[in-house]
Amino acid sequence: MSWQTYVDDHLMCDIEGNHLSAAAIIGHDGSVWAQSATFPQFKPEEITGIMNDFAEPGSLAPTGLYLGGTKYMVIQGESGAVIRGKKGSGGVTVKKTTLALIIGIYDEPLTAGQCNMIVERLGDYLIDQGL
């Protein structure tokens, strides 16, 4: 299965008639493995900041998580495994796997819980596969 198929079929899947507004699978080095057409153009330092927060949980909390120039307020996550961000009625979930970052961006009517479920379920599967 291609990485693009994971994005198209698993991350951008239909949940009760709704879906993520954007999604991507990005290597720890910031290389794009696959992304939705709507995924924002991000800066390398934004991925570096996310990776630093996984290494030192809480480092993004004072400044916020930036992705594609959009600032998200960092909310609860799982130390070293998941970072969750909120902006208005939407937000972002980032799940770290062995080799990649699974990123989902959502807006209403999709909920934070639905975004977390989509992103983290795929992330857990890839971890189980050694990826």
Side-chain angles (χ1 to χ4, degrees):
M1 188 182 297
S2 76
W3 292 113
Q4 193 62 51
T5 303
Y6 280 114
V7 170
D8 296 341
D9 295 352
H10 298 281
L11 293 175
M12 298 301 287
C13 64
D14 192 288
I15 301 278
E16 296 171 15
N18 304 307
H19 56 81
L20 295 174
S21 45
I25 301 174
I26 297 173
H28 289 179
D29 62 356
S31 61
V32 176
W33 292 10
Q35 64 184 17
S36 65
T38 53
F39 198 78
Q41 181 65 47
F42 60 86
K43 299 181 182 97
E45 58 266 23
E46 294 172 336
I47 301 304
T48 301
I50 291 169
M51 289 302 295
N52 288 344
D53 193 82
F54 282 120
E56 298 172 36
S59 64
L60 282 179
T63 59
L65 182 157
Y66 284 86
L67 194 60
T70 300
K71 180 180 179 179
Y72 296 90
M73 180 178 67
V74 177
I75 55 176
Q76 98 291 352
E78 295 170 30
S79 187
V82 179
I83 301 170
R84 298 184 184 109
K86 184 91 175 122
K87 177 177 173 53
S89 61
V92 63
T93 302
V94 183
K95 170 78 175 180
K96 181 177 182 254
T97 72
T98 311
L99 302 174
L101 299 173
I102 313 301
I103 304 174
I105 300 172
Y106 71 94
D107 283 303
E108 284 187 330
L110 203 73
T111 66
Q114 289 170 319
C115 178
N116 296 341
M117 182 186 71
I118 293 166
V119 171
E120 294 173 36
R121 187 173 53 194
L122 179 59
D124 290 341
Y125 170 77
L126 293 175
I127 290 168
D128 289 345
Q129 301 303 307
L131 302 168

